[in-house]
Amino acid sequence: MHIVVPVKLVPDLVEELVIDPSGTTLDPDTLRLQLNEFDGHAIEQAILLKERGGGQVTVMAPDVEGVDDVLYTAAAKGADRLIKLCGNFGQSVNNHAMACAVANLIKPLQPDLVLTGVQSHSDLDGSMGPLLAAYLGFPYVGYIAGVTLSDGRAVVRKEYPGGLVAEMEVVLPAVLGIQAADQPPRYVAFTRIRQAMKTASIEEQTVEGLDVSGGPTVSRMYKPEAAARATMIEGKPDEVASRLVELFRELGVL
Amino acid sequence: MSQDIYVIIEHLRGQIADISYVLCAAARQMAAASGGNVVGLLLGHNVKDLAQDVAVDRVLAVDDPLLANFVPDVYQQVLANLISASAPRAVLFGDTSIGAELAGALSVQLGLPLVSYCRNVRADDGRLTYVSQLCGGKVMVEGELPAPTALVAMVPGGYQAEQGKSTQPPPVETVAPPALAAGRITLKQYIEPESGDVDISKEAILVSVGRGIQNADNIELVRELAEAIGGVVSASRPVVDQGWLPTTRLVGKSGKRVKPRLYLALGISGAPEHAEAITDSQTIIAVNTDASAPIFDIARYGTTLDLLDLVPVLTEKVRQAKQ
Ligand SMILES: Cc1cc2nc3c(=O)[nH]c(=O)nc-3n(C[C@H](O)[C@H](O)[C@H](O)COP(=O)(O)OP(=O)(O)OC[C@H]3O[C@@H](n4cnc5c(N)ncnc54)[C@H](O)[C@@H]3O)c2cc1C
Ligand SMILES: Nc1ncnc2c1ncn2[C@@H]1O[C@H](COP(=O)(O)O)[C@@H](O)[C@H]1O
């Protein structure tokens, strides 16, 4: 069982986002990147499947600031092979181009399973999972919270709104978009990561033939105007709590 | 090629999904600009009476036992045929557990551009512009809707569901499906949401907790506050994914829509997937150390105090007030 997990670093949304002077993209120099939350779940799911049924886990990520930490952390959790995707791709590269190129790198690895995060918050032309699956000619199911494997098939739990789950069976090889792993992503101590830095090695592969034609173009990026803002209550905890109690009374909930 | 706007009418177990009405609302606006009709695509089995109140000019219904439940690759085959046969100006999907993977797969299969996270569509001098919401709603991007045919995955928020409803049932034309074969994906069963716990969609006071709570032990503080005020604890996705609260307490796109009199959001950023499900709350009060968190755009009142400092004091004051 060979499981490939392509992951991505995305802007941390707690930071102030600065729009580039061009007015069409985020200023790359001010972004603080972190692993897409759902990719942490995709890595965890891959490791869990390996622990249960054996196999090999390969994690790959684009070469951006912080990528080595992400890859070594994956190794410390149990990933066997680390690949850094190198090349000349800025923010203007769309997901179709990237998915097509990444599919070409994944194909020779002959994976049984490709796990992506379900989506990230910055994929204007759709999330990579379904695109990757289409380029690879594999089936895709997304919004997955739970995977088991048997007899060349995956049984997955696909989430619908309201807590309804559809259990689906997918013939392998397949691409799955992971929303949540069977278990919360494990914590690894920094000493283990440091150890992985010494023992694991990161391979570099060049992403080529990026064709961004045909995708949507951006003519303007801007911060939304809120229709209204909350009335802020200032003061120490004691003062704010008193004001909130007053408000609860006014609202008739106390 | 046509100027029609196609809408995928999403439904699940006999119920039209709210997002379908949002799509219809957007499609009407687009069709008015493009000069085409709004056509609803309804895939399923015994569903032709389902689309009574969708505001479309007509419905194309494809009926087959293999379409009785959503299965991605089978639905994709049918839609690929319909879309390539008529090349409409745009096809609107919900950016959902059903729509997102159909849109992505069809985009590659048919070689059509895809615009995702679309919240609004504008018509400027007959030209269509998409407006999409990225980075958890912190930035918007816009641009010309690619021509001649664009696939669009839409998020809620830009239109009211009411705008996409009609009291006049649309004409329904049943089209024969292509020869369908089961694909590589099969539905085994539905697993119902756990019952037995409280139903947060019916509660009047929700004390809701997000990642700002930091660890499982701190949940107790929130539980005490909820108890003092006579409410129930609910949560955002990370809290449930960590296993700190059960899935029954999840508020949001994959959880429940709620409409309490008071929604107290503690350490919740207000990401679109959370925010979409709380907009029917009467009053939202948010506690978040980040003054620029999007939750303050939908809350009536807010404070940037650390929730761990505020909550114990607030619990005490609520208890006193009740005596
Ligand atoms: C397909 C899909 C479906 C999803 N469905 C859902 C869903 O149903 N429900 C849902 O909630 N999410 C859902 N999400 C996830 C959603 O995108 C967000 O990631 C999630 O809502 C964030 O939760 P949060 O606000 O608790 O965490 P964060 O976004 O990390 O925010 C935590 C907030 O706490 C604040 N904070 C930190 N410490 C403190 C403190 N001490 N005191 C006060 N404030 C503090 C921070 O400033 C921050 O704003 C879904 C995502 C996808 C892709
Ligand atoms: N450039 C990329 N390199 C590797 N994996 C990616 C890349 N872009 C997206 N992914 C994967 O696709 C998932 C969905 O992200 P996105 O396509 O941005 O919605 C991510 O969680 C990753 O698993």
Side-chain angles (χ1 to χ4, degrees):
Chain A
M1 178 63 54
H2 185 191
I3 307 174
V4 175
V5 190
V7 303
K8 177 184 187 183
L9 283 82
V10 296
D12 181 352
L13 298 183
V14 173
E15 299 292 313
E16 167 87 18
L17 300 177
V18 180
I19 292 169
D20 181 270
S22 71
T24 57
T25 178
L26 292 173
D27 174 8
D29 298 330
T30 58
L31 290 179
R32 197 172 80 188
L33 299 175
Q34 60 179 17
L35 182 66
N36 180 27
E37 172 164 14
F38 307 107
D39 296 3
H41 285 270
I43 292 172
E44 182 63 32
Q45 187 64 69
I47 305 286
L48 288 171
L49 291 171
K50 173 185 155 178
E51 284 171 352
R52 284 176 203 153
Q56 196 200 1
V57 174
T58 299
V59 177
M60 51 171 67
D63 180 16
V64 295
E65 199 174 322
V67 64
D68 288 3
D69 286 348
V70 163
L71 291 174
Y72 285 127
T73 304
K77 291 180 174 188
D80 304 280
R81 193 170 167 196
L82 313 174
I83 299 176
K84 188 149 74 175
L85 304 172
C86 302
N88 194 3
F89 36 86
Q91 287 177 64
S92 57
V93 171
N94 62 38
N95 245 356
H96 281 68
M98 199 69 193
C100 184
V102 170
N104 288 332
L105 293 179
I106 289 182
K107 221 173 267 170
L109 302 178
Q110 298 189 303
D112 300 288
L113 197 56
V114 178
L115 302 182
T116 68
V118 60
Q119 66 182 51
S120 76
H121 52 63
S122 29
D123 55 355
L124 178 61
D125 63 326
S127 61
M128 187 185 265
L131 307 179
L132 201 54
Y135 288 119
L136 286 167
F138 294 177
Y140 175 85
V141 188
Y143 284 62
I144 302 298
V147 182
T148 50
L149 299 176
S150 66
D151 298 337
R153 282 154 206 272
V155 175
V156 300
R157 292 166 64 96
K158 179 178 177 65
E159 289 193 347
Y160 288 125
L164 180 70
V165 167
E167 194 177 75
M168 291 185 176
E169 191 174 80
V170 191
V171 175
L172 302 184
V175 182
L176 303 176
I178 303 296
Q179 170 100 61
D182 294 343
Q183 288 171 28
R186 67 195 66 192
Y187 170 79
V188 279
F190 185 65
T191 48
R192 298 258 316 271
I193 300 173
R194 220 170 33 205
Q195 203 177 355
M197 285 175 177
K198 290 194 192 121
T199 51
S201 62
I202 296 178
E203 300 164 44
E204 298 192 352
Q205 290 199 3
T206 309
V207 180
E208 280 165 339
L210 291 166
D211 173 12
V212 300
S213 64
T217 51
V218 175
S219 59
R220 189 160 87 96
M221 174 181 273
Y222 54 97
K223 302 246 175 113
E225 282 291 324
R229 280 294 278 182
T231 304
M232 299 307 277
I233 307 169
E234 313 288 342
K236 299 209 164 57
D238 192 57
E239 296 156 343
V240 173
S242 296
R243 176 72 187 117
L244 287 176
V245 167
E246 268 173 46
L247 279 174
F248 295 162
R249 283 224 176 86
E250 285 166 30
L251 297 170
V253 295
L254 252 197
Chain B
M1 211 168 75
S2 83
Q3 290 305 315
D4 290 347
I5 310 297
Y6 278 20
V7 169
I8 310 299
I9 303 177
E10 195 173 295
H11 57 94
L12 191 59
R13 302 209 298 172
Q15 191 107 37
I16 303 247
D18 262 353
I19 191 73
S20 302
Y21 301 109
V22 170
L23 303 182
C24 290
R28 289 169 71 87
Q29 194 191 345
M30 294 167 80
S34 72
N37 287 316
V38 177
V39 180
L41 304 184
L42 181 63
L43 277 56
H45 187 42
N46 299 328
V47 284
K48 67 179 193 316
D49 295 330
L50 200 59
Q52 297 285 336
D53 66 345
V54 285
V56 298
D57 296 309
R58 68 195 160 95
V59 170
L60 289 181
V62 187
D63 197 295
D64 192 282
L66 276 176
L67 300 173
N69 293 287
F70 173 65
V71 178
D73 51 356
V74 183
Y75 268 52
Q76 183 190 337
Q77 293 174 44
V78 176
L79 289 173
N81 274 321
L82 289 174
I83 296 167
S84 52
S86 51
R89 176 67 185 90
V91 186
L92 311 190
F93 302 78
D95 206 334
T96 62
S97 191
I98 289 178
E101 53 211 66
L102 286 174
L106 288 163
S107 163
V108 175
Q109 184 185 350
L110 303 176
L112 295 173
L114 168 59
V115 178
S116 209
Y117 283 119
C118 179
R119 194 180 148 111
N120 280 99
V121 175
R122 276 208 326 266
D124 310 314
D125 313 324
R127 287 236 293 260
L128 294 171
T129 299
Y130 71 84
V131 183
S132 288
Q133 144 191 312
L134 298 183
C135 296
K138 283 201 159 181
V139 297
M140 308 297 287
V141 292
E142 59 180 53
E144 208 171 313
L145 191 73
T149 300
L151 306 185
V152 183
M154 296 199 67
V155 294
Y159 302 87
Q160 302 287 333
E162 291 310 313
Q163 296 170 274
K165 286 188 180 168
S166 161
T167 48
Q168 197 78 340
V172 179
E173 182 188 330
T174 305
V175 284
L180 284 182
R184 289 172 289 179
I185 306 170
T186 40
L187 175 74
K188 306 294 287 179
Q189 59 167 335
Y190 286 113
I191 301 169
E192 300 297 329
E194 290 162 54
S195 59
D197 194 13
V198 291
D199 182 353
I200 55 169
S201 68
K202 300 207 170 84
E203 290 292 325
I205 304 176
L206 290 175
V207 179
S208 208
V209 57
R211 195 182 342 238
I213 193 69
Q214 291 157 30
N215 61 50
D217 292 344
N218 289 337
I219 300 275
E220 190 50 32
L221 295 176
V222 178
R223 211 179 310 242
E224 281 169 18
L225 174 59
E227 196 179 326
I229 194 172
V232 152
V233 178
S234 57
S236 68
R237 177 114 217 174
V239 170
V240 170
D241 283 345
Q242 286 297 326
W244 298 342
L245 283 171
T247 316
T248 45
R249 303 297 177 102
L250 177 62
V251 175
K253 178 173 181 167
S254 37
K256 289 227 161 107
R257 278 192 73 82
V258 297
K259 40 183 187 320
R261 285 169 71 183
L262 172 64
Y263 189 80
L264 192 56
L266 307 172
I268 293 176
S269 63
E273 294 82 9
H274 189 85
E276 67 168 72
I278 63 174
T279 47
D280 291 338
S281 306
Q282 243 171 55
T283 304
I284 299 171
I285 302 182
V287 181
N288 193 311
T289 43
D290 173 14
S292 72
I295 191 75
F296 292 123
D297 296 341
I298 51 172
R300 178 105 66 90
Y301 301 97
T303 166
T304 53
L305 284 178
D306 187 320
L307 81 92
L308 299 176
D309 294 334
L310 177 67
V311 169
V313 183
L314 183 58
T315 305
E316 201 40 51
K317 288 208 185 266
V318 168
R319 281 185 187 141
Q320 283 167 13
K322 280 208 157 174
Q323 276 170 9

